Amino acid sequence: MTKKDTAKKTVAKLKKNKHYRPAGKKREGNAARYMTRSQAIKQLQVNLSVFRKLCILKGVFPREPKKKVKGNNQTYYHVKDIAFIQHDPLLEKLREQRAYQKKIHKALAKKNEDLATRLRTREPSYTLDRLIRERYPKFVDALRDLDDCLSMVHLFAALPAVERLKINVERVHSCRRLSHEWQAYVARCHKLRKVFVSVKGIYYQAEVEGQKITWLAPHAMQQVLPDDVNFSVMLTFVEFYETLLGFVNFRLYHSISVKYPPILDPRLEALAADLYALTRYMNGNTKRISEEQESGSTKPEHTRGQLEGAQFEESELRLSQLQHQLPSNEDRALMHLIEEDDDNDDDEDTKKCKKLFKNMKFYLSREVPRESLLFVIPAFGGVVSWEGDAAPFTEADQSITHQIVDRPSQGHMYLSREYIQPQWIYDCINFGVILEAHRYLVGRVPPPHLSPFVDNEAEGYFPDYAETIKRFEAAAKNEVLPMPGVGKDDLDDPQLLLAEGYLSRTEAIEVAERKLFFLGVFQRATSEKQYLEDLKQEVQGHPDATASIAVEGAQVEEESSRPHLEQVAEDTDGTALMMMSRRNRGLFKAMKVRLNSTCYFCYISPP
Amino acid sequence: MGKKPKSSRKGKKAWRANISTDDIDEFIEKSTKDALTGGSLAEVPNESLFFVDKSKDLSVKRKIEKHREKVLHCDSVLQRNPFVKAIPSSNDKKKSSMKNKKNKKDSTEASTSKDDATKDGESGIVDLWENEAEGDIRTRKVVKTSVIPAVEVDPPGCSYNPNFEAHQDSLAKAVAEEMQKVYQSELGPQPVPLTVQGDAIEEEEMYFLEVDNGDDEANEENEDAPEKSSSMKKMVTKVEFNRRARLKDRQKKESEAKKKAEISKEIDSLPTIIDEIAKEDEEKQKRMMRRLVAKQERLKQQPPRLGRHKFVPAPTQVLLSEEITGSLRKLKACCTLATDRFKSLEKRGLIPPSANKRRRKYNFAYELRFLAGDKVLDLYFIDDGEAEEAAGVLIDVRVEDEALRKLRLKHLEEMRTLAAHLRTYLRGRPAGNVQRSRNFCSSPSVNRADEAAAAMEEEAERKIGWLLKVIFAGTATAIGYQFFPYMGDNLVLQSISLLQVKDPFFKRSGASRLASYAIDDGRRMKIVELGGAQELLNMLEAAKDDRTRKAALEALAALTKSDKAAGALHKAGAIPIVQSTPSSVEEEAIDKYKTGLLKRFQDLKYDGSS
């Protein structure tokens, strides 16, 4: 073939090929928009591991182009993504690190130990703050993306430190610290909503600033490091997530006015009671801050103010240290996280969660999962202690209402407390009520642990146990009607009352007793009307009280008991009903039903 | 000056004379010195004393300067003429000015960030989102890579103490996953064997082989060639030629006419054609929609193909029926959460899926020894096959349950292999071999090996039963296959072992597999020989629900089609068991099978009474 021929052919090709473009000129379509991983590496002039790291830190992930120009076996990245990496200062920093490592290697190779150690002290490092701000411009964005972060941090907190895989001890410890800080915040603010114990681990769901955050924590057991997991990738993710969680915790802690990097009691820390130490810290810290505010505005005549009033001039650090030096048994109330005064800005769920385990005192035996329960119980307003050093109270404490055990039989039993299995706690939380304890007693096989993440109505299938509980709830709904004297707004919202209704069962009984007492005291009151008014004033704070006050048959004895009250009510309600308006009569009936009914599932705490 | 006379030291004069003036002298001296040199150095700030040497490496600098200061020839020519203003050939200045600006900006940013960092004391942590409303930082639209949530909550059946129905669902799912793997390896193409039986072909012969082939082709061609040439050479007469021409003409005319007719016909049917096209378009549109929806559905389950390897989901973590204790303390929990998180990253498309690594081969004996700790310190490694080692260790080590539990948690995969090894080993060998394997482990119990042999055999069987129970959540596995002579046997064995499992689900699946396997007399007999008939009868007897009974009866019916097998069944006492099977309202098939079976027995003259 002659030269002429080939020239002709190329010309023909030029004419025929519409998209002919000389080599090295710009392209279009998928070929121009995507590049393979090896091309990207070449462009960035880094090695594969650094490229992977950069991708993870910058949040650049592979894409699937419509047309895979270089074949199906390649990983593709968007050209703009790669350009985005290329413009990041981090790239330069990582290159610098690599160059620096070479220096160290060189020094070591020349047996120059001094130089190597000196070089090691000044290794270039980088921070990820800017990247986090860049990837999560708003705090809400960070919260939305927290699921993976929390799961990963919780996982690494449970992993063994293995040098071969470069999982070092500091990393594990910092993950542990961060996870505890997060749990302490969630528990302190009662943000936890659901818990599901599965084979894989324990799923938690919290609701922080309107965002539902789900995470998976491993069971308290030895985790293995499987071969098919690339731990360098995992470690890069963890590195990023650690920083993220640090900033998130900082923000959350400051939102409840607690100083962020918490200073913990070294004794508790040494005993691995980090979470308890944290809750104590938080509690102490908020108290102190609120006190300081008080002292600024009013007189510092608080009991605790006196304790610390003299020390206001000293540095805050000193203060907190002082506070932590208090023996743990002395300030038992610290574990009790409920404060009545600061609940004005909470939503309904939080209020409900706060009250679930109110007035209950738990004690954990050594065989139950301590970490999980220490987190969960305070999150729902309970007080908890455990078997071991540094525990706030011991097993012999008479005020303990529930002891959580997980063994076939319990030797010595206190009559004043219930011995229940840990599943009771989780189920109570998920159903939002205090379940009857007899199904969960020691040695029994507890009812199935149902997943709270399943929407039964959407699925169209109700497990038996869910049905049982729902039936109880429905029964309660019919019986419990809103109380008079609460106000119209509250009357319109029976749901709200219902939520409190379960829990204030004990209160209701107490109030009824108090009423009787009043009746006794004012027995000799001259005028019945006068007497009624007085009563109303007395029990203004207790809305439950009014209905049975209508029972003004003044012949009530002082030693009257609960059934007696009802008897009296029955005797007199004929006349009382006559005097009431129609609406009030209905309310009265509802009240009566409520008092008479025995709430099967509601837990009646021992007086 | 002469020497002063020594005076009394006690007088006032003497006192005055003895005052030391050293410090004053020193000061004066110093001040004069300072005045002369230009000031004390101690008071001068560091900046004025020291400076950073910014004069860099001269040679390098010179090189750069040289490059920068080079003036292009055209520019130099233009410069000579004062009336012409040169247009700069590149925008060097612009670039440099921009660079300066940037540098300045950087420095200011750095200083501000430093201030921020110092604000919160020692921690170095600041509130990143303090002024998020301002939106000053350059942000980027985040591309949501996947619709799959970061933490997928397990189905309710995976609870540690699940509800029965939910648990059955999850279990069925897990079994289906495992079975799929098994079937895939069973039905998939056979791997190319590494070695082929037969003698190696010598090189010389190979040449011959090739030559032969070539010869054949050549011969064929040679044979064809003369025929063709002869036909080509045949002369065509004028008459014939004309005839052909006429024929051609006629055909052409006819075809033209036909074409015309067709076209006119098509024109007539234009509306229908338009309709068809519209329909086709609609169909296409629908197909596209379907594809789109299907793709989106797929993306909810797995990531797009991001690399060389396909994403393989992790197996479902669910407890077996006998593992549910209701106690958190006794929970056999998953301890490979790292795998779960890693798979989640892959599933969401954050990293391209990695190869499903073929794990390096484990030495089970070593693994067991490691697990058993001090109790088997004196185990030696032998070449006589891993199975023997493992079996020996298992039997020898008294802590095997513990070890197995740990093993199971650690490497489920290995457990399966181990099971396969043990099964082959213990089935294929008499008790003496077990003993031999014990002898390999020079443990203290060697002396009483003889008398313990039988007991050990029994123990081993029991253990195998335990093992099978644990493992047969749809395993029994492809890995075991290589140890069996041929496939069918293995399938039968596997199905029979499925029948032994407690869970009715496995029993059913085992029975149905047997039923589908028994298609000729040989196979049926094989099932009977391997003890399948007895197991089926046991299953039928022990079954508690209709579905299990139905499955068992179906398998039995499949077996009785062979006369011999029916005889064996009869011997095993099938008739009373079948007769005693309660008939069900829901499952009509049970009655059908039952009557069919009994009829078959009657045909073969087996009495119900005998």
Side-chain angles (χ1 to χ4, degrees):
Chain A
M1 213 183 268
T2 57
K3 222 177 185 180
K4 229 178 192 175
D5 280 349
T6 47
K8 247 185 201 171
K9 249 192 176 173
T10 43
V11 169
K13 211 176 176 185
L14 267 178
K15 273 182 187 166
K16 210 175 113 190
N17 192 349
K18 202 173 150 192
H19 294 295
Y20 175 77
R21 200 164 278 121
K25 295 291 166 183
K26 51 174 183 173
R27 294 162 299 163
E28 62 182 25
N30 277 325
R33 246 174 274 144
Y34 294 95
M35 57 164 76
T36 62
R37 191 179 66 184
S38 44
Q39 281 175 326
I41 285 173
K42 207 177 263 176
Q43 185 179 325
L44 294 179
Q45 298 185 1
V46 289
N47 57 15
L48 181 58
S49 59
V50 172
F51 175 71
R52 277 198 180 126
K53 195 170 188 177
L54 275 170
C55 281
I56 291 168
L57 295 179
K58 286 288 278 182
V60 166
F61 304 119
R63 312 249 194 128
E64 192 194 27
K66 229 174 203 173
K67 269 184 203 156
K68 296 185 170 176
V69 183
K70 294 274 176 175
N72 210 11
N73 282 347
Q74 305 277 344
T75 307
Y76 291 87
Y77 289 87
H78 201 281
V79 166
K80 284 189 176 173
D81 282 346
I82 300 303
F84 181 57
I85 292 180
Q86 197 158 25
H87 285 97
D88 200 274
L90 188 64
L91 174 67
E92 202 53 47
K93 202 82 197 176
L94 288 177
R95 280 194 196 132
E96 199 180 308
Q97 270 192 339
R98 188 149 173 273
Y100 202 84
Q101 283 302 323
K102 272 188 195 160
K103 274 186 196 170
I104 297 176
H105 278 302
K106 202 171 176 182
L108 283 175
K110 286 180 173 173
K111 305 264 189 296
N112 196 347
E113 289 288 339
D114 288 348
L115 181 62
T117 44
R118 190 149 49 77
L119 283 173
R120 277 214 187 94
T121 55
R122 289 184 288 123
E123 269 181 283
S125 63
Y126 57 88
T127 52
L128 299 172
D129 316 5
R130 192 181 42 78
L131 285 181
I132 285 167
R133 183 81 164 95
E134 183 183 276
R135 280 175 68 173
Y136 308 108
K138 298 245 164 63
F139 182 57
V140 183
D141 297 332
L143 281 181
R144 265 180 214 139
D145 214 20
L146 214 58
D147 290 10
D148 197 21
C149 166
L150 283 171
S151 301
M152 204 70 121
V153 168
H154 275 84
L155 168 67
F156 268 78
L159 283 190
V162 178
E163 209 167 322
R164 178 172 58 90
L165 299 171
K166 290 178 182 160
I167 306 173
N168 45 21
V169 186
E170 291 85 55
R171 173 126 300 157
V172 173
H173 275 293
S174 94
C175 281
R176 216 178 134 69
R177 186 179 53 79
L178 283 169
S179 63
H180 279 143
E181 280 164 10
W182 166 261
Q183 288 180 0
Y185 169 77
V186 170
R188 173 73 182 77
C189 297
H190 310 283
K191 298 289 190 194
L192 193 64
R193 293 292 173 270
K194 291 172 181 171
V195 185
F196 174 47
V197 186
S198 85
V199 184
K200 233 183 232 173
I202 304 176
Y203 290 92
Y204 297 100
Q205 191 174 67
E207 200 175 335
V208 180
E209 302 203 354
Q211 298 298 321
K212 277 187 176 149
I213 299 168
T214 315
W215 74 95
L216 173 61
H219 284 292
M221 64 184 299
Q222 178 79 31
Q223 289 285 323
V224 296
L225 304 167
D227 282 348
D228 49 356
V229 173
N230 188 347
F231 271 98
S232 61
V233 167
M234 296 280 270
L235 280 169
T236 317
F237 270 105
V238 165
E239 186 187 351
F240 181 75
Y241 285 149
E242 260 182 72
T243 324
L244 172 63
L245 191 56
F247 282 113
V248 168
N249 279 349
F250 179 90
R251 170 108 177 177
L252 291 175
Y253 272 53
H254 274 236
S255 72
I256 54 167
S257 53
V258 178
K259 276 195 86 173
Y260 175 55
I263 307 144
L264 299 184
D265 185 354
R267 193 175 71 94
L268 284 176
E269 232 178 345
L271 290 165
D274 298 13
L275 194 58
Y276 173 53
L278 261 171
T279 41
R280 277 189 57 185
Y281 168 80
M282 282 179 117
N283 228 32
N285 218 331
T286 38
K287 261 187 191 168
R288 202 186 62 243
I289 285 176
S290 59
E291 262 161 34
E292 278 171 9
Q293 286 163 356
E294 261 177 44
S295 69
S297 58
T298 59
K299 295 161 267 176
E301 282 185 354
H302 213 256
T303 45
R304 290 188 66 83
Q306 283 175 352
L307 183 74
E308 290 169 354
Q311 296 161 349
F312 278 138
E313 295 82 34
E314 293 187 38
S315 70
E316 290 205 337
L317 184 79
R318 171 95 182 113
L319 257 178
S320 62
Q321 276 172 349
L322 262 180
Q323 200 171 35
H324 293 304
Q325 279 158 11
L326 292 170
S328 54
N329 289 347
E330 195 176 292
D331 205 346
R332 203 171 289 160
L334 278 176
M335 198 61 185
H336 202 289
L337 293 178
I338 306 157
E339 267 127 45
E340 312 291 335
D341 46 357
D342 62 349
D343 60 352
N344 38 16
D345 56 340
D346 290 340
D347 52 355
E348 270 164 38
D349 274 354
T350 310
K351 273 179 195 162
K352 198 178 149 193
C353 289
K354 196 185 279 188
K355 282 177 189 162
L356 188 63
F357 290 143
K358 200 179 174 188
N359 300 330
M360 291 193 196
K361 220 166 173 185
F362 294 90
Y363 185 79
L364 310 180
S365 285
R366 67 191 154 78
E367 73 275 5
V368 299
R370 197 175 94 185
E371 295 251 309
S372 170
L373 288 174
L374 275 186
F375 162 48
V376 164
I377 293 173
F380 286 84
V383 188
V384 64
S385 174
W386 63 94
E387 197 171 333
D389 295 329
F393 48 87
T394 59
E395 193 179 355
D397 193 331
Q398 287 299 326
S399 57
I400 294 171
T401 58
H402 292 77
Q403 181 156 351
I404 298 169
V405 287
D406 193 0
R407 50 180 85 169
S409 62
Q410 173 76 19
H412 176 251
M413 276 184 153
Y414 290 88
L415 289 176
S416 61
R417 62 183 82 153
E418 304 250 21
Y419 287 82
I420 43 166
Q421 298 186 33
Q423 197 193 319
W424 183 79
I425 300 273
Y426 298 126
D427 283 357
C428 284
I429 288 165
N430 291 337
F431 290 113
V433 288
I434 300 297
L435 298 167
E436 47 181 358
H438 76 81
R439 279 162 166 267
Y440 297 88
L441 292 182
V442 198
R444 291 198 190 178
V445 175
H449 176 59
L450 305 175
S451 169
F453 292 95
V454 180
D455 187 2
N456 282 334
E457 267 150 41
E459 296 274 312
Y461 165 70
F462 288 88
D464 288 343
Y465 190 54
E467 293 252 36
T468 322
I469 287 168
K470 218 181 161 208
R471 244 194 340 267
F472 281 137
E473 274 178 29
K477 217 174 257 181
N478 288 337
E479 284 162 11
V480 181
L481 279 176
M483 311 305 138
V486 179
K488 261 187 185 173
D489 303 2
D490 292 348
L491 276 176
D492 293 341
D493 190 4
Q495 198 67 26
L496 189 146
L497 266 172
L498 182 67
E500 289 172 345
Y502 297 134
L503 304 157
S504 59
R505 169 87 181 133
T506 49
E507 284 175 358
I509 292 166
E510 276 172 23
V511 168
E513 279 170 358
R514 208 180 305 168
K515 267 176 268 161
L516 279 178
F517 176 71
F518 287 139
L519 283 173
V521 168
F522 291 98
Q523 198 178 8
R524 287 163 214 95
T526 47
S527 153
E528 275 184 10
K529 274 183 184 175
Q530 179 65 39
Y531 158 52
L532 241 178
E533 276 169 19
D534 281 355
L535 252 188
K536 267 182 186 165
Q537 277 170 6
E538 283 288 335
V539 290
Q540 204 75 63
H542 303 277
D544 311 21
T546 38
S548 38
I549 292 171
V551 191
E552 12 49 331
Q555 313 300 318
V556 188
E557 282 84 16
E558 268 188 27
E559 66 274 17
S560 57
S561 59
R562 232 171 291 147
H564 195 95
L565 167 78
E566 281 153 19
Q567 185 61 41
V568 172
E570 264 175 39
D571 291 345
T572 53
D573 62 2
T575 51
L577 279 174
M578 300 281 279
M579 286 156 70
M580 285 181 203
S581 71
R582 197 173 163 200
R583 183 192 166 120
N584 281 353
R585 209 175 302 154
L587 288 173
F588 176 56
K589 270 183 188 164
M591 188 68 213
K592 235 172 51 176
V593 168
R594 181 162 181 272
L595 281 175
N596 290 341
S597 65
T598 46
C599 245
Y600 315 103
F601 57 92
C602 278
Y603 176 77
I604 301 172
S605 71
Chain B
M1 245 170 22
K3 203 180 173 185
K4 272 184 182 175
K6 200 180 172 185
S7 58
S8 162
R9 277 161 158 254
K10 280 179 183 172
K12 201 177 186 181
K13 216 175 176 183
W15 176 67
R16 264 191 198 144
N18 282 335
I19 291 174
S20 112
T21 53
D22 285 353
D23 46 350
I24 298 164
D25 290 344
E26 230 168 65
F27 175 74
I28 289 166
E29 206 173 292
K30 205 176 162 193
S31 59
T32 45
K33 199 179 170 191
D34 280 354
L36 287 175
T37 53
S40 135
L41 287 177
E43 287 155 13
V44 175
N46 281 347
E47 285 83 46
S48 59
L49 284 180
F50 306 103
F51 72 99
V52 179
D53 187 4
K54 281 177 184 165
S55 61
K56 282 175 193 155
D57 196 352
L58 276 178
S59 66
V60 174
K61 199 188 173 189
R62 204 174 298 140
K63 224 186 250 172
I64 295 166
E65 295 286 272
K66 203 177 160 194
H67 183 69
R68 276 192 190 148
E69 283 161 11
K70 196 163 78 178
V71 182
L72 292 178
H73 178 65
C74 55
D75 289 341
S76 68
V77 170
L78 286 176
Q79 272 169 6
R80 265 180 246 155
N81 191 338
F83 301 110
V84 181
K85 210 173 191 181
I87 300 163
S89 55
S90 64
N91 42 7
D92 261 346
K93 267 181 196 167
K94 213 174 170 186
K95 262 186 194 167
S96 61
S97 67
M98 266 174 77
K99 219 177 243 172
N100 285 338
K101 238 183 220 172
K102 214 176 185 181
N103 281 343
K104 256 181 210 166
K105 215 184 196 177
D106 274 356
S107 61
T108 51
E109 261 178 34
S111 62
T112 50
S113 69
K114 207 183 257 174
D115 290 345
D116 281 352
T118 49
K119 205 159 60 181
D120 205 72
E122 70 278 17
S123 71
I125 284 188
V126 283
D127 192 355
L128 272 189
W129 298 281
E130 204 171 20
N131 40 13
E132 66 182 11
E134 291 167 25
D136 54 341
I137 204 144
R138 224 184 71 219
T139 52
R140 188 163 170 266
K141 198 183 149 209
V142 182
V143 189
K144 187 98 173 146
T145 50
S146 170
V147 287
I148 302 167
V151 177
E152 285 173 292
V153 181
D154 276 347
C158 295
S159 157
Y160 90 98
N161 182 16
N163 185 36
F164 178 73
E165 283 95 3
H167 178 242
Q168 288 295 317
D169 285 351
S170 295
L171 203 60
K173 209 176 139 230
V175 170
E177 275 169 18
E178 288 292 334
M179 279 309 189
Q180 205 168 13
K181 271 185 217 160
V182 172
Y183 288 143
Q184 242 163 22
S185 60
E186 264 175 22
L187 303 173
Q190 289 272 338
V192 179
L194 287 174
T195 53
V196 184
Q197 287 199 338
D199 299 326
I201 304 166
E202 284 173 27
E203 256 185 51
E204 284 174 20
E205 282 176 34
M206 253 192 219
Y207 285 122
F208 284 121
L209 285 175
E210 276 170 24
V211 170
D212 277 352
N213 288 340
D215 276 351
D216 283 345
E217 279 165 26
N219 286 340
E220 277 169 22
E221 273 171 26
N222 288 342
E223 280 163 17
D224 287 349
E227 276 179 27
K228 266 184 195 169
S229 60
S230 71
S231 67
M232 288 287 282
K233 276 173 190 171
K234 229 180 193 176
M235 286 294 289
V236 181
T237 59
K238 187 113 188 181
V239 178
E240 177 74 4
F241 188 82
N242 285 344
R243 203 167 58 83
R244 277 188 196 170
R246 263 179 277 133
L247 190 70
K248 214 177 184 181
D249 263 4
R250 208 173 60 223
Q251 275 177 349
K252 202 178 176 186
K253 270 175 193 165
E254 271 176 14
S255 68
E256 268 174 14
K258 225 181 200 175
K259 218 180 227 171
K260 249 181 200 170
E262 259 177 27
I263 287 175
S264 65
K265 208 175 167 188
E266 277 182 3
I267 290 172
D268 286 345
S269 63
L270 206 58
T272 53
I273 290 174
I274 291 171
D275 275 358
E276 260 171 38
I277 289 173
K279 215 177 259 176
E280 224 166 75
D281 279 353
E282 205 176 313
E283 196 66 29
K284 266 184 194 164
Q285 195 72 25
K286 269 184 191 167
R287 204 192 307 150
M288 214 173 73
M289 281 303 290
R290 267 205 303 278
R291 272 187 193 158
L292 208 72
V293 170
K295 197 185 173 190
Q296 276 167 354
E297 282 299 312
R298 209 164 50 240
L299 280 182
K300 275 178 202 166
Q301 299 298 320
Q302 58 179 21
R305 186 68 177 261
L306 288 178
R308 187 185 295 271
H309 305 287
K310 209 178 161 198
F311 170 72
V312 184
T316 320
Q317 295 285 345
V318 61
L319 290 175
L320 300 182
S321 295
E322 61 261 25
E323 283 174 344
I324 298 171
T325 52
S327 166
L328 257 182
R329 179 172 54 94
K330 290 184 207 152
L331 172 66
K332 277 177 186 161
C334 149
C335 58
T336 53
L337 208 59
T339 318
D340 175 66
R341 293 322 302 162
F342 192 67
K343 285 280 179 195
S344 165
L345 293 177
E346 280 182 356
K347 196 173 181 184
R348 283 177 284 146
L350 302 188
I351 46 176
S354 54
N356 204 3
K357 267 186 217 160
R358 264 269 152 270
R359 285 223 204 89
R360 68 194 149 81
K361 223 168 139 193
Y362 272 93
N363 188 331
F364 299 107
Y366 175 76
E367 193 72 21
L368 281 175
R369 190 177 78 140
F370 167 69
L371 289 168
D374 297 340
K375 305 209 174 177
V376 214
L377 281 174
D378 49 357
L379 183 78
Y380 292 109
F381 294 92
I382 46 172
D383 291 325
D384 207 24
E386 282 182 346
E388 282 180 354
E389 276 181 66
V393 175
L394 261 187
I395 293 160
D396 210 81
V397 181
R398 295 290 156 185
V399 290
E400 74 286 336
D401 270 34
E402 182 66 13
L404 279 178
R405 192 178 63 76
K406 279 186 196 163
L407 240 191
R408 176 169 177 268
L409 297 176
K410 272 192 111 167
H411 315 285
L412 201 73
E413 199 69 27
E414 273 75 72
M415 272 301 282
R416 292 171 184 167
T417 330
L418 181 68
H421 280 242
L422 286 174
R423 212 146 34 99
T424 17
Y425 171 65
L426 288 160
R427 266 183 211 280
R429 271 162 235 248
N433 273 1
V434 179
Q435 184 202 330
R436 192 163 63 83
S437 74
R438 281 177 49 76
N439 290 347
F440 283 120
C441 335
S442 61
S443 64
S445 58
V446 168
N447 334 356
R448 50 190 171 84
D450 279 328
E451 29 132 49
M456 262 181 312
E457 176 76 308
E458 203 179 74
E459 195 183 28
E461 284 292 345
R462 187 174 58 77
K463 248 158 247 163
I464 296 312
W466 186 85
L467 259 179
L468 289 177
K469 264 187 225 162
V470 172
I471 290 149
F472 268 117
T475 60
T477 70
I479 305 155
Y481 292 151
Q482 47 185 312
F483 299 96
F484 288 96
Y486 40 90
M487 201 99 146
D489 240 8
N490 181 36
L491 196 79
V492 176
L493 266 181
Q494 203 181 329
S495 317
I496 292 173
S497 356
L498 275 179
L499 292 182
Q500 294 163 343
V501 181
K502 231 189 239 165
D503 226 37
F505 185 85
F506 298 124
K507 281 189 172 176
R508 281 204 291 276
S509 67
S512 70
R513 287 175 94 189
L514 281 181
S516 58
Y517 178 73
I519 44 169
D520 60 33
D521 282 5
R523 285 186 169 191
R524 282 178 200 128
M525 275 321 286
K526 196 177 282 164
I527 295 175
V528 172
E529 276 163 22
L530 291 168
Q534 190 58 50
E535 285 300 332
L536 276 174
L537 289 175
N538 288 348
M539 170 183 165
L540 182 60
E541 211 174 355
K544 279 174 194 149
D545 59 345
D546 290 341
R547 282 165 70 198
T548 318
R549 272 185 218 116
K550 188 186 140 198
L553 280 171
E554 196 181 346
L556 282 174
L559 276 182
T560 46
K561 277 175 190 154
S562 145
D563 291 354
K564 274 187 185 172
L569 272 176
H570 172 64
K571 266 180 211 157
I575 297 171
I577 295 176
V578 173
Q579 271 173 344
S580 65
T581 311
S583 53
S584 157
V585 190
E586 289 140 31
E587 298 274 354
E588 290 167 15
I590 289 188
D591 285 338
K592 204 181 81 193
Y593 283 125
K594 212 170 122 185
T595 48
L597 269 172
L598 291 175
K599 204 180 160 211
R600 173 81 183 144
F601 282 126
Q602 269 175 7
D603 289 349
L604 294 167
K605 308 265 162 55
Y606 297 127
D607 262 1
S609 55
S610 64

